[in-house]
Structures are given as structure tokens and as C-alpha cells.
Amino acid sequence: PTAESTAAASSAAAQPTATQTAKPPATKVHPLVPVLEFAKAGLDELDKNIKDYSCTLVKRERIDGVLGDREYIFLKVRHEPFSIYMYFLGPQAIKGRECIFVDGGNTGKLVAHEGKGFRAKLGTFHLDPNGLIAMRGQRYPITEVGIRNLTSRLIEVGEMDTRYAECEVKWFKNTKVNNRLCTCIQVTHPVPRKQFRFYMARVFIDDQLHIPIRYASWQWPSQAGEDPPLDEEYTYMNIKVNNGFADADFAERNPNYRF
């Protein structure tokens, strides 16, 4: 799709009379405007049609300059009130870790325990979700995990980027993520600027569910000809929507959990 539109210009050289209408000069539309319209429509549809979902999240993040290993996490997410249960499937060092957060519940604390090792013997912790312990090895707090949060964050970043030029957008139809048919939107900032968060980012929108199921971004190469270094990636797989999750699915005393 084109990222540019033109407004018709008046052919009259004189000042407009009472029966004429002044027309603005031709202007360019920022290439992110169609992307933002698409994302906002998707967010509205998500809010109307998806009350909760379960999935497997595969994430990889660069923290303090170091790209970590991929983490595999089973999620249950409910949107109202925002509630999330996480069970870490791997790698082995974190396998068995469980976390729960409920907006307005547990006095605002993250409830968590480790799955193995010395910390597992210490039992269940109630932590500040933004505190040092809860954020250890994580780029974002649990309060920002999930597809709706991802969509909102992408809209926020996109709106900020519309204030600047040096932005290229490409759309790719019929791409696939875990055998799900998607539309991929690629955003590139060719020149590194302090106002930009990434060199290139790709968002994969599920064509059936109309939600982003994969996001990945890269930083600028240190030298010309080098591959851009991966900064972060999140892929939501095996999504099952509207499971009818209840409070018990996000309760510390759930007998199926190990808190």
C-alpha cells in the first residue's frame, strides 16, 4: 500500500472569492499512519471479541547488551480485570517457575516461586512487580506481558515515530508464523537517531484473529555490511481464545499450581 496521498490544489491564481473554497497544499502522509489505523482497529476488535486466552510465549531479550536464551512460557491471560498466570517451560534453569499477577489483587504484588534449586526451597514470594527481584532477567514487568499490552505499546511507539521522518514501511501478505497465516508489517529507520528505538521491526498480524502474534526488532549494525543484531522478539503460539477463565485460574491456592 502506498504511504503517500496528495490533496488537490486549486488552479485559480487569484485569492478565493466568496463562492470559492481555499484548498491546502499537497501534503505527505506519514507511512506509519495506515499502520496505526490498522493497529487501532485491531485493538478495538480484540477488546470486543477476546475476553481471555491461553498460549505459549517464546521470548528472547537483550538485557544490558547481552542477548539471552529463548524462554518458553505457558500463559493464561484474562483482560478484565487484567490477570496473568505464567508457567516457565524452559530452559532448564527456570523450568517450573510460576507467577501470578491480578490487577487489584494480592495487594498489587506479583506472586511467584522458583521451580528448582535453592530458591525453590524458599517457597512463595510476594514481590513488587517492578522491583529488582521480579525484574531479574526480564526486560518488562509482568504487568506489560500479553498481546493486548504488546498492541498498545506498538501504537504508542508508532505515534511517537510519526513526529519524525526517516521511516520506511513495507507490508507483506501471506506470511506464516507457526503455520498461522499472517500479514507482516516491517518498519525501518535507516539512520540511527536518539528518538528511534530500533533499526528495524517486524510485526506479524494473525489474519484470522486480527492480533499481533509475533514481534521482533533489531538494532543498527555496528558496521556497514553486518547483520543487524536482534534486540527482542516475542512469539505467541498455540493461542486458544475465550476459555472462560475464572478467578481460580489466577489464584495462589489453585490446587493445580505449586505455590
Side-chain angles (χ1 to χ4, degrees):
T2 179
E4 182 176 319
S5 65
T6 55
S10 173
S11 59
Q15 293 291 324
T17 65
T19 58
Q20 292 176 313
T21 301
K23 295 182 179 181
T27 58
K28 288 185 177 181
V29 174
H30 195 284
L32 281 174
V33 169
V35 177
L36 288 168
E37 292 174 349
F38 187 59
K40 290 176 181 178
L43 184 60
D44 287 342
E45 189 170 345
L46 184 156
D47 286 339
K48 291 177 182 177
N49 299 326
I50 299 179
K51 304 303 180 184
D52 64 54
Y53 61 91
S54 63
C55 68
T56 301
L57 169 62
V58 183
K59 74 183 184 81
R60 197 178 191 191
E61 300 172 326
R62 187 178 298 274
I63 299 175
D64 297 328
V66 178
L67 184 64
D69 295 330
R70 286 186 177 87
E71 295 182 0
Y72 300 82
I73 308 166
F74 172 73
L75 297 182
K76 292 181 181 178
V77 179
R78 178 177 62 179
H79 289 137
E80 291 293 339
F82 176 70
S83 311
I84 186 165
Y85 165 79
M86 309 174 71
Y87 180 86
F88 286 72
L89 301 166
Q92 283 296 321
I94 57 175
K95 185 176 181 179
R97 177 188 295 170
E98 289 182 295
C99 302
I100 287 175
F101 178 81
V102 178
D103 188 21
N106 301 312
T107 65
K109 301 295 187 180
L110 159 67
V111 182
H113 74 81
E114 293 293 340
K116 57 182 10 181
F118 171 74
R119 290 191 180 93
K121 298 178 181 179
L122 298 177
T124 298
F125 295 88
H126 293 73
L127 306 169
D128 176 358
N130 296 290
L132 290 175
I133 297 177
M135 290 297 296
R136 185 181 66 248
Q138 307 297 321
R139 191 162 184 169
Y140 302 102
I142 193 172
T143 54
E144 296 184 26
V145 173
I147 294 170
R148 193 189 189 285
N149 284 325
L150 172 62
T151 306
S152 297
R153 185 162 64 247
L154 293 177
I155 291 173
E156 179 182 350
V157 172
E159 288 179 335
M160 291 177 60
D161 283 0
T162 58
R163 302 185 309 192
Y164 309 100
E166 300 177 314
C167 179
E168 301 171 358
V169 175
K170 294 181 179 179
W171 298 64
F172 301 95
K173 298 287 188 179
N174 300 318
T175 60
K176 285 189 175 181
V177 175
N178 196 34
N179 292 320
R180 301 278 306 180
L181 200 61
C182 297
T183 297
C184 173
I185 303 172
Q186 177 178 290
V187 180
T188 306
H189 300 301
V191 181
R193 307 290 188 192
K194 64 180 181 180
Q195 64 264 25
F196 296 137
R197 296 179 52 151
F198 54 79
Y199 160 63
M200 182 174 66
R202 290 177 182 152
V203 185
F204 294 79
I205 310 297
D206 187 291
D207 288 347
Q208 180 183 6
L209 297 174
H210 302 157
I211 57 176
I213 62 172
R214 174 169 166 79
Y215 170 80
S217 69
W218 293 261
Q219 291 299 315
W220 291 266
S222 57
Q223 296 183 17
E226 290 186 350
D227 291 334
L230 178 68
D231 193 42
E232 57 182 356
E233 64 176 356
Y234 308 90
T235 305
Y236 292 86
M237 302 166 49
N238 308 319
I239 299 171
K240 297 180 181 179
V241 302
N242 297 328
N243 301 275
F245 289 146
D247 291 346
D249 289 283
F250 309 97
E252 180 180 350
R253 296 185 179 276
N254 188 314
N256 296 315
Y257 303 157
R258 296 178 57 194
F259 291 98

